[in-house]
PDB file of all heavy atoms in Angstrom:
ATOM      1  N   TYR A   5       4.861   2.351   3.328  1.00  0.00           N
ATOM      2  CA  TYR A   5       4.249   1.172   2.717  1.00  0.00           C
ATOM      3  C   TYR A   5       4.225   1.386   1.212  1.00  0.00           C
ATOM      4  O   TYR A   5       3.449   2.180   0.697  1.00  0.00           O
ATOM      5  CB  TYR A   5       2.842   0.987   3.270  1.00  0.00           C
ATOM      6  CG  TYR A   5       2.068  -0.191   2.720  1.00  0.00           C
ATOM      7  CD1 TYR A   5       2.672  -1.406   2.430  1.00  0.00           C
ATOM      8  CD2 TYR A   5       0.691  -0.090   2.528  1.00  0.00           C
ATOM      9  CE1 TYR A   5       1.936  -2.479   1.948  1.00  0.00           C
ATOM     10  CE2 TYR A   5      -0.050  -1.161   2.058  1.00  0.00           C
ATOM     11  CZ  TYR A   5       0.581  -2.348   1.766  1.00  0.00           C
ATOM     12  OH  TYR A   5      -0.154  -3.414   1.295  1.00  0.00           O
ATOM     13  N   ALA A   6       5.110   0.698   0.518  1.00  0.00           N
ATOM     14  CA  ALA A   6       5.283   0.911  -0.918  1.00  0.00           C
ATOM     15  C   ALA A   6       4.596  -0.170  -1.740  1.00  0.00           C
ATOM     16  O   ALA A   6       4.473  -1.318  -1.316  1.00  0.00           O
ATOM     17  CB  ALA A   6       6.772   0.922  -1.252  1.00  0.00           C
ATOM     18  N   GLY A   7       4.158   0.214  -2.918  1.00  0.00           N
ATOM     19  CA  GLY A   7       3.587  -0.735  -3.864  1.00  0.00           C
ATOM     20  C   GLY A   7       3.149  -0.022  -5.122  1.00  0.00           C
ATOM     21  O   GLY A   7       3.145   1.208  -5.186  1.00  0.00           O
ATOM     22  N   SER A   8       2.780  -0.814  -6.123  1.00  0.00           N
ATOM     23  CA  SER A   8       2.223  -0.211  -7.336  1.00  0.00           C
ATOM     24  C   SER A   8       0.736   0.058  -7.132  1.00  0.00           C
ATOM     25  O   SER A   8       0.169   0.926  -7.780  1.00  0.00           O
ATOM     26  CB  SER A   8       2.452  -1.107  -8.560  1.00  0.00           C
ATOM     27  OG  SER A   8       1.884  -2.385  -8.346  1.00  0.00           O
ATOM     28  N   PHE A   9       0.110  -0.695  -6.230  1.00  0.00           N
ATOM     29  CA  PHE A   9      -1.307  -0.511  -5.896  1.00  0.00           C
ATOM     30  C   PHE A   9      -2.138  -0.339  -7.170  1.00  0.00           C
ATOM     31  O   PHE A   9      -2.898   0.607  -7.317  1.00  0.00           O
ATOM     32  CB  PHE A   9      -1.496   0.673  -4.935  1.00  0.00           C
ATOM     33  CG  PHE A   9      -0.681   0.535  -3.685  1.00  0.00           C
ATOM     34  CD1 PHE A   9       0.382   1.379  -3.426  1.00  0.00           C
ATOM     35  CD2 PHE A   9      -0.962  -0.471  -2.768  1.00  0.00           C
ATOM     36  CE1 PHE A   9       1.151   1.239  -2.269  1.00  0.00           C
ATOM     37  CE2 PHE A   9      -0.201  -0.624  -1.609  1.00  0.00           C
ATOM     38  CZ  PHE A   9       0.858   0.247  -1.364  1.00  0.00           C
ATOM     39  N   ASP A  10      -1.997  -1.310  -8.059  1.00  0.00           N
ATOM     40  CA  ASP A  10      -2.580  -1.215  -9.398  1.00  0.00           C
ATOM     41  C   ASP A  10      -3.510  -2.391  -9.666  1.00  0.00           C
ATOM     42  O   ASP A  10      -3.179  -3.249 -10.471  1.00  0.00           O
ATOM     43  CB  ASP A  10      -1.428  -1.151 -10.407  1.00  0.00           C
ATOM     44  CG  ASP A  10      -1.880  -0.741 -11.794  1.00  0.00           C
ATOM     45  OD1 ASP A  10      -2.914  -0.078 -11.926  1.00  0.00           O
ATOM     46  OD2 ASP A  10      -1.177  -1.100 -12.755  1.00  0.00           O
ATOM     47  N   PRO A  11      -4.656  -2.449  -8.994  1.00  0.00           N
ATOM     48  CA  PRO A  11      -5.270  -1.452  -8.119  1.00  0.00           C
ATOM     49  C   PRO A  11      -5.041  -1.745  -6.625  1.00  0.00           C
ATOM     50  O   PRO A  11      -4.577  -2.820  -6.255  1.00  0.00           O
ATOM     51  CB  PRO A  11      -6.758  -1.587  -8.442  1.00  0.00           C
ATOM     52  CG  PRO A  11      -6.933  -3.042  -8.736  1.00  0.00           C
ATOM     53  CD  PRO A  11      -5.645  -3.463  -9.422  1.00  0.00           C
ATOM     54  N   PHE A  12      -5.417  -0.784  -5.803  1.00  0.00           N
ATOM     55  CA  PHE A  12      -5.398  -0.879  -4.346  1.00  0.00           C
ATOM     56  C   PHE A  12      -6.529  -1.816  -3.934  1.00  0.00           C
ATOM     57  O   PHE A  12      -7.670  -1.639  -4.327  1.00  0.00           O
ATOM     58  CB  PHE A  12      -5.623   0.515  -3.764  1.00  0.00           C
ATOM     59  CG  PHE A  12      -5.474   0.631  -2.279  1.00  0.00           C
ATOM     60  CD1 PHE A  12      -4.207   0.710  -1.708  1.00  0.00           C
ATOM     61  CD2 PHE A  12      -6.579   0.704  -1.457  1.00  0.00           C
ATOM     62  CE1 PHE A  12      -4.056   0.854  -0.326  1.00  0.00           C
ATOM     63  CE2 PHE A  12      -6.451   0.847  -0.088  1.00  0.00           C
ATOM     64  CZ  PHE A  12      -5.183   0.919   0.480  1.00  0.00           C
ATOM     65  N   THR A  13      -6.199  -2.849  -3.138  1.00  0.00           N
ATOM     66  CA  THR A  13      -7.172  -3.884  -2.786  1.00  0.00           C
ATOM     67  C   THR A  13      -7.562  -3.821  -1.312  1.00  0.00           C
ATOM     68  O   THR A  13      -6.964  -3.081  -0.528  1.00  0.00           O
ATOM     69  CB  THR A  13      -6.591  -5.281  -3.064  1.00  0.00           C
ATOM     70  OG1 THR A  13      -5.506  -5.510  -2.156  1.00  0.00           O
ATOM     71  CG2 THR A  13      -6.127  -5.429  -4.508  1.00  0.00           C
ATOM     72  N   GLU A  14      -8.525  -4.641  -0.934  1.00  0.00           N
ATOM     73  CA  GLU A  14      -8.915  -4.763   0.471  1.00  0.00           C
ATOM     74  C   GLU A  14      -7.750  -5.315   1.299  1.00  0.00           C
ATOM     75  O   GLU A  14      -7.606  -4.981   2.469  1.00  0.00           O
ATOM     76  CB  GLU A  14     -10.149  -5.659   0.623  1.00  0.00           C
ATOM     77  CG  GLU A  14     -11.433  -5.027   0.123  1.00  0.00           C
ATOM     78  CD  GLU A  14     -11.952  -3.885   0.998  1.00  0.00           C
ATOM     79  OE1 GLU A  14     -11.473  -3.711   2.145  1.00  0.00           O
ATOM     80  OE2 GLU A  14     -12.837  -3.159   0.527  1.00  0.00           O
ATOM     81  N   GLY A  15      -6.920  -6.161   0.705  1.00  0.00           N
ATOM     82  CA  GLY A  15      -5.731  -6.658   1.399  1.00  0.00           C
ATOM     83  C   GLY A  15      -4.773  -5.525   1.721  1.00  0.00           C
ATOM     84  O   GLY A  15      -4.220  -5.444   2.820  1.00  0.00           O
ATOM     85  N   HIS A  16      -4.570  -4.619   0.752  1.00  0.00           N
ATOM     86  CA  HIS A  16      -3.738  -3.440   0.994  1.00  0.00           C
ATOM     87  C   HIS A  16      -4.320  -2.602   2.126  1.00  0.00           C
ATOM     88  O   HIS A  16      -3.593  -2.136   3.015  1.00  0.00           O
ATOM     89  CB  HIS A  16      -3.631  -2.573  -0.268  1.00  0.00           C
ATOM     90  CG  HIS A  16      -2.916  -3.213  -1.401  1.00  0.00           C
ATOM     91  ND1 HIS A  16      -3.405  -3.200  -2.698  1.00  0.00           N
ATOM     92  CD2 HIS A  16      -1.741  -3.885  -1.462  1.00  0.00           C
ATOM     93  CE1 HIS A  16      -2.569  -3.823  -3.491  1.00  0.00           C
ATOM     94  NE2 HIS A  16      -1.542  -4.250  -2.768  1.00  0.00           N
ATOM     95  N   LEU A  17      -5.634  -2.414   2.087  1.00  0.00           N
ATOM     96  CA  LEU A  17      -6.295  -1.608   3.114  1.00  0.00           C
ATOM     97  C   LEU A  17      -6.110  -2.236   4.493  1.00  0.00           C
ATOM     98  O   LEU A  17      -5.863  -1.531   5.480  1.00  0.00           O
ATOM     99  CB  LEU A  17      -7.778  -1.423   2.790  1.00  0.00           C
ATOM    100  CG  LEU A  17      -8.599  -0.612   3.801  1.00  0.00           C
ATOM    101  CD1 LEU A  17      -8.004   0.781   4.009  1.00  0.00           C
ATOM    102  CD2 LEU A  17     -10.051  -0.532   3.344  1.00  0.00           C
ATOM    103  N   HIS A  18      -6.198  -3.549   4.580  1.00  0.00           N
ATOM    104  CA  HIS A  18      -5.995  -4.236   5.858  1.00  0.00           C
ATOM    105  C   HIS A  18      -4.594  -3.946   6.407  1.00  0.00           C
ATOM    106  O   HIS A  18      -4.422  -3.673   7.603  1.00  0.00           O
ATOM    107  CB  HIS A  18      -6.205  -5.741   5.698  1.00  0.00           C
ATOM    108  CG  HIS A  18      -5.974  -6.501   6.951  1.00  0.00           C
ATOM    109  ND1 HIS A  18      -6.928  -6.627   7.936  1.00  0.00           N
ATOM    110  CD2 HIS A  18      -4.876  -7.158   7.411  1.00  0.00           C
ATOM    111  CE1 HIS A  18      -6.441  -7.333   8.935  1.00  0.00           C
ATOM    112  NE2 HIS A  18      -5.190  -7.667   8.637  1.00  0.00           N
ATOM    113  N   VAL A  19      -3.601  -3.995   5.535  1.00  0.00           N
ATOM    114  CA  VAL A  19      -2.225  -3.716   5.952  1.00  0.00           C
ATOM    115  C   VAL A  19      -2.122  -2.276   6.461  1.00  0.00           C
ATOM    116  O   VAL A  19      -1.517  -2.014   7.508  1.00  0.00           O
ATOM    117  CB  VAL A  19      -1.228  -3.973   4.796  1.00  0.00           C
ATOM    118  CG1 VAL A  19       0.168  -3.454   5.150  1.00  0.00           C
ATOM    119  CG2 VAL A  19      -1.181  -5.455   4.447  1.00  0.00           C
ATOM    120  N   VAL A  20      -2.718  -1.338   5.737  1.00  0.00           N
ATOM    121  CA  VAL A  20      -2.663   0.075   6.131  1.00  0.00           C
ATOM    122  C   VAL A  20      -3.326   0.288   7.485  1.00  0.00           C
ATOM    123  O   VAL A  20      -2.769   0.970   8.359  1.00  0.00           O
ATOM    124  CB  VAL A  20      -3.317   0.973   5.053  1.00  0.00           C
ATOM    125  CG1 VAL A  20      -3.489   2.399   5.550  1.00  0.00           C
ATOM    126  CG2 VAL A  20      -2.504   0.956   3.768  1.00  0.00           C
ATOM    127  N   LYS A  21      -4.507  -0.294   7.679  1.00  0.00           N
ATOM    128  CA  LYS A  21      -5.203  -0.136   8.963  1.00  0.00           C
ATOM    129  C   LYS A  21      -4.367  -0.684  10.116  1.00  0.00           C
ATOM    130  O   LYS A  21      -4.272  -0.064  11.175  1.00  0.00           O
ATOM    131  CB  LYS A  21      -6.554  -0.861   8.936  1.00  0.00           C
ATOM    132  CG  LYS A  21      -7.616  -0.175   8.136  1.00  0.00           C
ATOM    133  CD  LYS A  21      -8.876  -1.052   8.182  1.00  0.00           C
ATOM    134  CE  LYS A  21     -10.072  -0.407   7.590  1.00  0.00           C
ATOM    135  NZ  LYS A  21     -11.251  -1.297   7.673  1.00  0.00           N
ATOM    136  N   THR A  22      -3.772  -1.832   9.915  1.00  0.00           N
ATOM    137  CA  THR A  22      -2.948  -2.433  10.959  1.00  0.00           C
ATOM    138  C   THR A  22      -1.722  -1.570  11.231  1.00  0.00           C
ATOM    139  O   THR A  22      -1.392  -1.283  12.387  1.00  0.00           O
ATOM    140  CB  THR A  22      -2.527  -3.863  10.568  1.00  0.00           C
ATOM    141  OG1 THR A  22      -3.707  -4.638  10.316  1.00  0.00           O
ATOM    142  CG2 THR A  22      -1.710  -4.525  11.668  1.00  0.00           C
ATOM    143  N   ALA A  23      -1.053  -1.152  10.175  1.00  0.00           N
ATOM    144  CA  ALA A  23       0.148  -0.319  10.317  1.00  0.00           C
ATOM    145  C   ALA A  23      -0.170   1.013  10.994  1.00  0.00           C
ATOM    146  O   ALA A  23       0.629   1.516  11.793  1.00  0.00           O
ATOM    147  CB  ALA A  23       0.787  -0.088   8.952  1.00  0.00           C
ATOM    148  N   ALA A  24      -1.340   1.564  10.694  1.00  0.00           N
ATOM    149  CA  ALA A  24      -1.742   2.854  11.280  1.00  0.00           C
ATOM    150  C   ALA A  24      -1.910   2.754  12.789  1.00  0.00           C
ATOM    151  O   ALA A  24      -1.806   3.763  13.490  1.00  0.00           O
ATOM    152  CB  ALA A  24      -3.029   3.352  10.626  1.00  0.00           C
ATOM    153  N   GLY A  25      -2.154   1.564  13.283  1.00  0.00           N
ATOM    154  CA  GLY A  25      -2.249   1.351  14.720  1.00  0.00           C
ATOM    155  C   GLY A  25      -0.903   1.100  15.383  1.00  0.00           C
ATOM    156  O   GLY A  25      -0.785   1.164  16.602  1.00  0.00           O
ATOM    157  N   ILE A  26       0.110   0.825  14.583  1.00  0.00           N
ATOM    158  CA  ILE A  26       1.450   0.533  15.093  1.00  0.00           C
ATOM    159  C   ILE A  26       2.349   1.773  15.047  1.00  0.00           C
ATOM    160  O   ILE A  26       3.149   2.001  15.940  1.00  0.00           O
ATOM    161  CB  ILE A  26       2.099  -0.612  14.277  1.00  0.00           C
ATOM    162  CG1 ILE A  26       1.308  -1.903  14.461  1.00  0.00           C
ATOM    163  CG2 ILE A  26       3.562  -0.803  14.648  1.00  0.00           C
ATOM    164  CD1 ILE A  26       1.719  -3.014  13.510  1.00  0.00           C
ATOM    165  N   CYS A  27       2.203   2.543  13.976  1.00  0.00           N
ATOM    166  CA  CYS A  27       3.050   3.718  13.756  1.00  0.00           C
ATOM    167  C   CYS A  27       2.257   5.004  13.972  1.00  0.00           C
ATOM    168  O   CYS A  27       1.040   5.022  13.783  1.00  0.00           O
ATOM    169  CB  CYS A  27       3.598   3.706  12.326  1.00  0.00           C
ATOM    170  SG  CYS A  27       4.638   2.294  11.935  1.00  0.00           S
ATOM    171  N   GLU A  28       2.953   6.049  14.319  1.00  0.00           N
ATOM    172  CA  GLU A  28       2.297   7.352  14.475  1.00  0.00           C
ATOM    173  C   GLU A  28       1.868   7.922  13.131  1.00  0.00           C
ATOM    174  O   GLU A  28       0.888   8.658  13.044  1.00  0.00           O
ATOM    175  CB  GLU A  28       3.235   8.345  15.181  1.00  0.00           C
ATOM    176  CG  GLU A  28       3.433   8.072  16.659  1.00  0.00           C
ATOM    177  CD  GLU A  28       4.461   6.969  16.946  1.00  0.00           C
ATOM    178  OE1 GLU A  28       5.212   6.552  16.036  1.00  0.00           O
ATOM    179  OE2 GLU A  28       4.498   6.519  18.100  1.00  0.00           O
ATOM    180  N   LYS A  29       2.614   7.574  12.085  1.00  0.00           N
ATOM    181  CA  LYS A  29       2.292   8.054  10.735  1.00  0.00           C
ATOM    182  C   LYS A  29       2.653   6.968   9.734  1.00  0.00           C
ATOM    183  O   LYS A  29       3.656   6.271   9.897  1.00  0.00           O
ATOM    184  CB  LYS A  29       3.091   9.334  10.435  1.00  0.00           C
ATOM    185  CG  LYS A  29       2.850   9.912   9.064  1.00  0.00           C
ATOM    186  CD  LYS A  29       3.674  11.186   8.859  1.00  0.00           C
ATOM    187  CE  LYS A  29       3.506  11.736   7.452  1.00  0.00           C
ATOM    188  NZ  LYS A  29       4.353  12.922   7.237  1.00  0.00           N
ATOM    189  N   ILE A  30       1.806   6.841   8.716  1.00  0.00           N
ATOM    190  CA  ILE A  30       2.065   5.913   7.606  1.00  0.00           C
ATOM    191  C   ILE A  30       2.084   6.713   6.315  1.00  0.00           C
ATOM    192  O   ILE A  30       1.204   7.552   6.075  1.00  0.00           O
ATOM    193  CB  ILE A  30       0.977   4.814   7.503  1.00  0.00           C
ATOM    194  CG1 ILE A  30       0.935   3.972   8.778  1.00  0.00           C
ATOM    195  CG2 ILE A  30       1.186   3.935   6.264  1.00  0.00           C
ATOM    196  CD1 ILE A  30       2.169   3.158   9.042  1.00  0.00           C
ATOM    197  N   VAL A  31       3.064   6.437   5.483  1.00  0.00           N
ATOM    198  CA  VAL A  31       3.129   7.007   4.147  1.00  0.00           C
ATOM    199  C   VAL A  31       2.942   5.855   3.168  1.00  0.00           C
ATOM    200  O   VAL A  31       3.731   4.915   3.156  1.00  0.00           O
ATOM    201  CB  VAL A  31       4.481   7.711   3.884  1.00  0.00           C
ATOM    202  CG1 VAL A  31       4.531   8.271   2.465  1.00  0.00           C
ATOM    203  CG2 VAL A  31       4.743   8.801   4.918  1.00  0.00           C
ATOM    204  N   ILE A  32       1.866   5.930   2.379  1.00  0.00           N
ATOM    205  CA  ILE A  32       1.667   4.959   1.299  1.00  0.00           C
ATOM    206  C   ILE A  32       2.399   5.525   0.088  1.00  0.00           C
ATOM    207  O   ILE A  32       2.090   6.625  -0.363  1.00  0.00           O
ATOM    208  CB  ILE A  32       0.172   4.772   0.964  1.00  0.00           C
ATOM    209  CG1 ILE A  32      -0.591   4.212   2.170  1.00  0.00           C
ATOM    210  CG2 ILE A  32       0.015   3.858  -0.256  1.00  0.00           C
ATOM    211  CD1 ILE A  32      -2.101   4.146   1.953  1.00  0.00           C
ATOM    212  N   GLY A  33       3.362   4.780  -0.401  1.00  0.00           N
ATOM    213  CA  GLY A  33       4.136   5.223  -1.554  1.00  0.00           C
ATOM    214  C   GLY A  33       3.739   4.456  -2.796  1.00  0.00           C
ATOM    215  O   GLY A  33       3.947   3.244  -2.883  1.00  0.00           O
ATOM    216  N   ILE A  34       3.138   5.161  -3.748  1.00  0.00           N
ATOM    217  CA  ILE A  34       2.769   4.524  -5.019  1.00  0.00           C
ATOM    218  C   ILE A  34       3.956   4.663  -5.955  1.00  0.00           C
ATOM    219  O   ILE A  34       4.301   5.763  -6.394  1.00  0.00           O
ATOM    220  CB  ILE A  34       1.525   5.173  -5.645  1.00  0.00           C
ATOM    221  CG1 ILE A  34       0.346   5.117  -4.675  1.00  0.00           C
ATOM    222  CG2 ILE A  34       1.190   4.487  -6.971  1.00  0.00           C
ATOM    223  CD1 ILE A  34      -0.894   5.845  -5.185  1.00  0.00           C
ATOM    224  N   GLY A  35       4.592   3.547  -6.235  1.00  0.00           N
ATOM    225  CA  GLY A  35       5.769   3.546  -7.088  1.00  0.00           C
ATOM    226  C   GLY A  35       5.505   2.848  -8.407  1.00  0.00           C
ATOM    227  O   GLY A  35       4.468   2.232  -8.612  1.00  0.00           O
ATOM    228  N   ILE A  36       6.460   2.965  -9.268  1.00  0.00           N
ATOM    229  CA  ILE A  36       6.393   2.292 -10.560  1.00  0.00           C
ATOM    230  C   ILE A  36       7.170   0.991 -10.450  1.00  0.00           C
ATOM    231  O   ILE A  36       8.344   0.991 -10.095  1.00  0.00           O
ATOM    232  CB  ILE A  36       7.032   3.161 -11.675  1.00  0.00           C
ATOM    233  CG1 ILE A  36       6.307   4.508 -11.792  1.00  0.00           C
ATOM    234  CG2 ILE A  36       7.035   2.424 -13.002  1.00  0.00           C
ATOM    235  CD1 ILE A  36       4.887   4.420 -12.262  1.00  0.00           C
ATOM    236  N   ASN A  37       6.498  -0.128 -10.719  1.00  0.00           N
ATOM    237  CA  ASN A  37       7.164  -1.422 -10.745  1.00  0.00           C
ATOM    238  C   ASN A  37       7.557  -1.685 -12.198  1.00  0.00           C
ATOM    239  O   ASN A  37       6.690  -1.881 -13.049  1.00  0.00           O
ATOM    240  CB  ASN A  37       6.221  -2.519 -10.238  1.00  0.00           C
ATOM    241  CG  ASN A  37       6.884  -3.878 -10.193  1.00  0.00           C
ATOM    242  OD1 ASN A  37       7.881  -4.120 -10.866  1.00  0.00           O
ATOM    243  ND2 ASN A  37       6.330  -4.771  -9.403  1.00  0.00           N
ATOM    244  N   PRO A  38       8.866  -1.676 -12.505  1.00  0.00           N
ATOM    245  CA  PRO A  38       9.288  -1.858 -13.896  1.00  0.00           C
ATOM    246  C   PRO A  38       8.915  -3.221 -14.470  1.00  0.00           C
ATOM    247  O   PRO A  38       8.909  -3.412 -15.677  1.00  0.00           O
ATOM    248  CB  PRO A  38      10.812  -1.681 -13.843  1.00  0.00           C
ATOM    249  CG  PRO A  38      11.193  -1.871 -12.419  1.00  0.00           C
ATOM    250  CD  PRO A  38       9.992  -1.517 -11.591  1.00  0.00           C
ATOM    251  N   ASN A  39       8.559  -4.180 -13.598  1.00  0.00           N
ATOM    252  CA  ASN A  39       8.171  -5.514 -14.052  1.00  0.00           C
ATOM    253  C   ASN A  39       6.683  -5.618 -14.359  1.00  0.00           C
ATOM    254  O   ASN A  39       6.221  -6.638 -14.829  1.00  0.00           O
ATOM    255  CB  ASN A  39       8.557  -6.561 -13.008  1.00  0.00           C
ATOM    256  CG  ASN A  39      10.049  -6.601 -12.768  1.00  0.00           C
ATOM    257  OD1 ASN A  39      10.825  -6.494 -13.706  1.00  0.00           O
ATOM    258  ND2 ASN A  39      10.441  -6.708 -11.518  1.00  0.00           N
ATOM    259  N   LYS A  40       5.930  -4.555 -14.047  1.00  0.00           N
ATOM    260  CA  LYS A  40       4.492  -4.547 -14.308  1.00  0.00           C
ATOM    261  C   LYS A  40       4.164  -3.391 -15.242  1.00  0.00           C
ATOM    262  O   LYS A  40       4.722  -2.318 -15.125  1.00  0.00           O
ATOM    263  CB  LYS A  40       3.691  -4.335 -13.012  1.00  0.00           C
ATOM    264  CG  LYS A  40       3.677  -5.483 -12.057  1.00  0.00           C
ATOM    265  CD  LYS A  40       2.780  -5.137 -10.882  1.00  0.00           C
ATOM    266  CE  LYS A  40       2.714  -6.243  -9.867  1.00  0.00           C
ATOM    267  NZ  LYS A  40       1.854  -5.878  -8.724  1.00  0.00           N
ATOM    268  N   VAL A  41       3.255  -3.657 -16.142  1.00  0.00           N
ATOM    269  CA  VAL A  41       2.751  -2.582 -16.981  1.00  0.00           C
ATOM    270  C   VAL A  41       1.638  -1.903 -16.192  1.00  0.00           C
ATOM    271  O   VAL A  41       0.688  -2.550 -15.771  1.00  0.00           O
ATOM    272  CB  VAL A  41       2.212  -3.128 -18.320  1.00  0.00           C
ATOM    273  CG1 VAL A  41       1.594  -2.014 -19.143  1.00  0.00           C
ATOM    274  CG2 VAL A  41       3.311  -3.837 -19.088  1.00  0.00           C
ATOM    275  N   GLY A  42       1.776  -0.594 -15.966  1.00  0.00           N
ATOM    276  CA  GLY A  42       0.766   0.134 -15.203  1.00  0.00           C
ATOM    277  C   GLY A  42      -0.578   0.102 -15.902  1.00  0.00           C
ATOM    278  O   GLY A  42      -0.671   0.400 -17.085  1.00  0.00           O
TER     279      GLY A  42
END
């Protein structure tokens, strides 16, 4: 699950919780979005 998470929101958390029930493991990847200033 990739994103800039700048900041991490309740919507992001909802996605993570749901995904954690579907997959055996979830990796949240904090990446740099070149279109956004961090």
Side-chain angles (χ1 to χ4, degrees):
Y5 179 37
S8 57
F9 304 112
D10 193 25
F12 187 79
T13 67
E14 289 289 347
H16 294 133
L17 179 57
H18 178 82
V19 170
V20 170
K21 286 178 172 180
T22 303
I26 296 170
C27 298
E28 288 81 13
K29 179 179 177 183
I30 299 295
V31 179
I32 298 174
I34 303 175
I36 300 294
N37 182 339
N39 299 320
K40 289 183 180 179
V41 176

